[in-house]
Each structure stands twice: as C-alpha cells, then as structure tokens.
Amino acid sequence: TMGMFAWSTLEPDEGRFELDWLEDRINTLHDNGIHVILATPSGARPKWLSDRYPEVLRVDETRHRQLFGGRHNHCFSSPVYREKVRIINERLAQRFAKHPAVILWHLSNEYCGECHCEHCQQAFRDWLQRRYGSIDALNDAWCTTFWSHTYHSFAQVESPSSRGEHQMEGLLLDWKRFVTDQTIDFIKAEIAAVRPYHPSLPVTTNLMYSFDALNYFKLKDVVDIISWDTYPQWHKQAEIVTALDNGLQHDLMRSIKGTPFLMMESVTSATNWQGVSKLKKPNMNRLSTLQAIAHGSDAALFFQWRQSRGSVEKFHGAFVDHYGEQDTRVFDEATLLGAALQTLREVIGATVHAPVAVVYDWENDWAIGGSHGPRNNGMKYKDAVKKSYTALRKLGLDVDIIDMECDISKYRFVAAPMLYMLRNDFDTALRSYVSQGGLLALGYFSGIVDESDRCFQGGMPHNLMDVTGLRMTEIDGLFDHEHNKLCPVNGNSLRMHKHYRCDTLCALVKTSTATTLMTYGKDFYAGTPAFTQNNYGNGSAYYICADAEQDFYDDAYAAILGQADIHADLNIKLPEGVEMNTRHKEGVRYVFLQNFNTTPVQIDVPDGYETLLGSGGELGSFGTLVLKQS
C-alpha cells in the first residue's frame, strides 16, 4: 500500500501535479509480480494548503485553531478541504484506477479526530435538527431543564467544551455520534471521487486498536473490506493474555461485515512509538501474523518495507533496515513467514462460523464512560467484555463481537456484559432471542438508560425483568481496595462449587422467578443473589450480578455451554496458552492451533484431519499447526 502521505510530492503546489514518479514505481512493482493498494493522500495535507486556506486546519474544543503540523489536522466539514481532496483523488483515479497492478483503494490513513470550527458547529446543528425534528424534542431527550440549560433554537447549541458545557450526557453522546457520521460522510466523499473511474475496484480504510472516538460498526455498509492496524505489545505479560486481547480485536474487525478482513499493518519486530519498543522474539512475528489469518484475515501487510532514514518513524521496524542488506534475523524470519503464507493460500476467502457472540457496543461504551456514577474512576466495561470473550476462547470456540444493531438470532449463546444503555430496540431482540431458545448471559448494570442517557422508569433491567426473573434494586460501587465474593448455592444446576472474588461493582437484585445459583459472601448484602438463572420461553437467561474474576467466567460458561452441548468444531481440551480458530470454505474446515507458550505442548490430533502447516503431536514454542478436514 503506497501514497498515503505523498500529497506534497504528488501536488507540490496548488494545481501542479507530478504523478510520473508514482507511475514509475507502480510499473516496477507490476513488472516484478507485485500488486499495489493505492492510498488517497488525505491523511496529511501539504503546507501550501494550510497556508492559503487556514480554514482547513482544525479548531480544538477550546475553540482555538491548530497550527500546521501532525497528520489528521484537518476539518472534515471544510468545503475547501473536501474540494482539494476531491481534486487530488480524481487525478489519482484518472491515472491509476485501471492500472493492472492496482487492486484496492486505501482511503486516507487511520481516520481520527474532531473539529469544533463554525463549519462543524453548523453541521452539528443540522444533524441535530434531522435527528430530533424540533428543539422541544431535543430538550426532552437531553433533560436540559436540569441546571436551567433549556435551548430555544438549534442555533443556540454548541459542541461540548471544557470551557462550556461538558457534563450534559445527551449532548456528549450526540456529539460523538455526529463525529462518527461526519467522518463517514467524508469517507463517502472520498469514495465518490475515485469510484467513477473504476466502479468495481473495492475500497478500504485502515482502522485502529480499541479506538474509542469512532463507532466502527457504522462502516459496514460504507467500505467494501474492513482492514486494521495491529500492534500488540508482545512479551510485556503472558503471551496468551496479549494473544486473547489481540484476538478480540481481530474478531471485532471480522464481525463488522461478517466477512474476511485485512491485516493492513503490523511490524516485523519493534515499533518506534510504544512506551517500550520491544523486539519480537524469534518466531513471534510468524506466530502473530498467522494469528490474524486464523481469525479471518486474508492478508498480512507490514509497515514498513525499508526503514525511514529520518523523522518520527525512523526506528520503526522494517523488512530492510538502515544497513540495507538481507542477512538479518528479521529478514530471514520474514522469508519463512512468506513461505508459510504461500502454503496457506487456499485459506483465502474462508469464513468463520461462530456459534457464540459477545456484545460490545461503542455507544454503550461512550455512555458508561460518562454515566456519573456509580464509579467515576474505572467502570471497566472493556474488561468485562474481555472476560466473557476470554472464557469462550478458552473453550476453543470462535466468537463474533457484535453491537446492538447486529442480528443475534443465529447464535446459540450470547454474552451481554454491562448493557447500561439499551438502544435500537435491543431489549426486544433479547426477549425474542431467549424466548425462541437462546442462551443469554446478561451482566450487571444493564438496562439502565435509553440512548439519550435517561434512566428508565418502572424497574431495571428495562423490559427484561421477566426475562431475567429479577429486578435490580441497587448497585454498590466498591473502592479499589474492596472486594466481595460469590459463594455457590448447594446443589445449583451448574454444579459450581468454588468461591470467586468480585470487585468494582456489585448489583443487588430481588428475584421473582429466577433461581439463585450463587450468593454474595460479605457486606450487608451477604446471602443475597449474585448469579441467577431464569427460564423464559424456550430459552434461558443468566444474570451475573457482579464484576467477578476471570475464573468465574471460565467455569460458568464452561458449565452453561457444556449442558447445551455447544463446543468447538475440533472438540479437544486445549492446553493452557494454546489458541484454536476455525475457518470454513466450500465444505472444507481449516483448524488453526497456536502455541503462545515459551515451551512446547502436546496436541492430540483426532483422525480425519490432514496437516496443512506444521506437524501433529508436539507443538513447539510459538508454533502454529493448521489442520484441514474435507
């Protein structure tokens, strides 16, 4: 992929285009059998553009315009910036869209950031008027009478600022939604500039790890292919912990469209920007790259080919370092990786059929972050999502990561941690899902507010009290030094017998039809329900009342799914530190087994599988085994 930061070279001055050098390089690559993903250069504007049209530079939330510099320092609403991007994109498309080497458009680079200029203020007011229709409806949704903040017209509304309104959660949520929608509108404008010159050439843009500022699920109908940049910090903690965290991101990216994604960026060894830029130990680059393929990627790309000589990324890893030769450990390992990828070419296009899903919703994350209680320092929503994900992955199950706009009917089990906000009638979807035979694990602090952060009236979890067979009456925020414990009820249906630590949040509930499986062990609510189960229709809903430790999720989910006979395609017990993934294509099953331990492990491969990569039996340190079953 090339050209993303080349605007000042492609257009050294306004209206003067120099594209021959790019064509020479594309031709050279094509002559050597190498395809190109061609980027649009909107991720960093040239100096002449900022000097002649200062309005393209962003205004921060304190209402100060930024100086020239950085990368994404431009206003997505600016008519001038949009016009200049259109012009350069069209020039590139006219010249290269039908070049036989070009197989994909790469739009910009890691879209991010927001602007508070007058163009954006007006766009935000227009967006609000379309959303609410009337200022009275907005006032009602945002509860503006509190603190006497009632608006009399949309013209009075301003974006959030630390110098002004920054605690009205309805405003904060809608601003974040607007930023996502305005970014997507800019992306659509970029697509409109290049698409006419080759309508069938697909487009993508590279997304980022756990990026809070944009709701990536909104991109599913905008770009043709999801791609993302993966830079996990290997060797900082137990490798399997990092692998599970990185795997969650892979699965999230795959789930956005439900199709194979692209690993657009990784690094051959050390980055230049992490707190400690650790070298990848031998075989880790191969292992981590094949992890992306295992989770559904159809590509493995790296930044960068040759190390930059200067500027901020001069020490970022590359295939070719400043020495400039091939006789390095990194180059040798990259060559071995290339051979492995060649062996796995037949996996391209294979999909993942996940029987279970974990709900992670961007807007819910935003709302929890601004809930103003019961803890204003560490609600740990993402941690709760990771605990459910980790427990399911330890069982060898492929997992989809979905939001409240996804169809849940196809899954046999859905984990929904901390659904503080309910939107898009997701409560109705959950009711139907359980009624028709689904298994639901609903977490504490769920069904509390609507999409404007207004608390539901009449009991919580809203519209799910009969589904869960209980009502949440209070929730206790624990200090960091506090903890409670979950104690098993004798003879509980899951046959759980251990005690588990919990902290952060403890929901107090009053059961109606639910059966109590575990109770709290301490404090004034000792002996009250802490984990429950309720039959509803043809399905069952479990309610997890507290922020329990990982072992609880591991044991509870293993028991629930074991009773329901939900298991991985390759039904074997995974050694500690081993990850399993499965992809399917035209009746063929590909099973990836990866060892994230520094020591070998034993893998008992059942009959009926052909070895595509690696060898059965002992799986070496940082090793990968790929099995094929027709």
Side-chain angles (χ1 to χ4, degrees), residues 215-495:
N215 181 353
Y216 282 160
F217 276 103
K218 296 292 186 181
L219 285 167
K220 63 177 176 287
D221 297 323
V222 179
V223 297
D224 300 304
I225 299 168
I226 297 294
S227 63
W228 82 289
D229 301 343
T230 171
Y231 292 102
Q233 289 189 281
W234 299 109
H235 318 309
K236 184 178 181 179
Q237 55 188 336
E239 309 297 0
I240 188 60
V241 176
T242 305
L244 286 165
D245 181 63
N246 197 49
L248 189 157
Q249 295 297 317
H250 283 315
D251 288 339
L252 169 60
M253 298 300 168
R254 185 196 68 244
S255 300
I256 291 173
K257 289 182 75 73
T259 56
F261 63 97
L262 303 185
M263 186 180 81
M264 180 63 78
E265 279 188 34
S266 188
V267 65
T268 54
S269 188
T271 69
N272 73 296
W273 50 265
Q274 292 170 336
V276 175
S277 295
K278 188 77 172 172
L279 293 177
K280 287 183 179 178
K281 296 184 186 299
N283 293 322
M284 177 49 75
N285 189 39
R286 182 178 187 270
L287 178 67
S288 59
T289 301
L290 294 181
Q291 185 194 28
I293 306 301
H295 282 263
S297 179
D298 272 355
L301 285 80
F302 292 84
F303 176 75
Q304 51 194 333
W305 168 250
R306 183 185 297 273
Q307 273 188 310
S308 305
R309 188 172 184 184
S311 199
V312 68
E313 292 182 311
K314 61 184 177 294
F315 294 130
H316 190 93
F319 288 96
V320 181
D321 63 13
H322 297 128
Y323 174 58
E325 299 296 335
Q326 301 179 17
D327 58 339
T328 63
R329 177 182 71 92
V330 168
F331 198 94
D332 287 344
E333 290 201 10
T335 302
L336 294 174
L337 170 61
L341 292 171
Q342 184 70 21
T343 300
L344 296 175
R345 284 184 65 86
E346 65 182 82
V347 178
I348 290 175
T351 56
V352 175
H353 303 162
V356 299
V358 178
V359 180
Y360 168 72
D361 189 276
W362 253 275
E363 296 188 23
N364 183 51
D365 196 356
W366 296 337
I368 290 173
S371 63
H372 300 291
R375 278 174 57 108
N376 293 321
N377 184 20
M379 292 287 281
K380 300 183 180 179
Y381 173 51
K382 287 190 176 72
D383 288 346
V385 171
K386 287 179 183 178
K387 286 178 181 179
S388 284
Y389 175 82
T390 296
L392 296 170
R393 295 294 294 124
K394 286 182 177 180
L395 297 172
L397 292 164
D398 295 302
V399 182
D400 281 351
I401 308 296
I402 61 175
D403 76 346
M404 293 190 215
E405 297 181 27
C406 294
D407 177 19
I408 61 174
S409 63
K410 63 182 178 180
Y411 302 108
R412 298 186 64 189
F413 174 84
V414 172
M418 290 184 74
L419 289 188
Y420 167 71
M421 172 194 288
L422 289 175
R423 65 182 188 89
N424 198 48
D425 293 324
F426 197 60
D427 50 336
T428 302
L430 290 173
R431 292 179 67 86
S432 175
Y433 170 74
V434 178
S435 176
Q436 294 178 28
L439 292 174
L440 170 68
L442 186 65
Y444 52 91
F445 206 46
S446 290
I448 310 297
V449 300
D450 67 11
E451 62 182 11
S452 296
D453 200 51
R454 297 179 300 183
C455 290
F456 289 116
Q457 304 295 296
M460 304 166 185
H462 172 71
N463 200 28
L464 295 170
M465 290 186 293
D466 56 340
V467 177
T468 56
L470 54 78
R471 174 170 64 91
M472 190 189 83
T473 59
E474 297 177 89
I475 188 160
D476 191 16
L478 276 59
F479 292 111
D480 288 346
H481 67 270
E482 288 187 296
H483 71 274
N484 208 311
K485 59 181 179 179
L486 277 60
C487 308
V489 172
N490 289 333
N492 67 83
S493 59
L494 294 181
R495 299 180 181 176

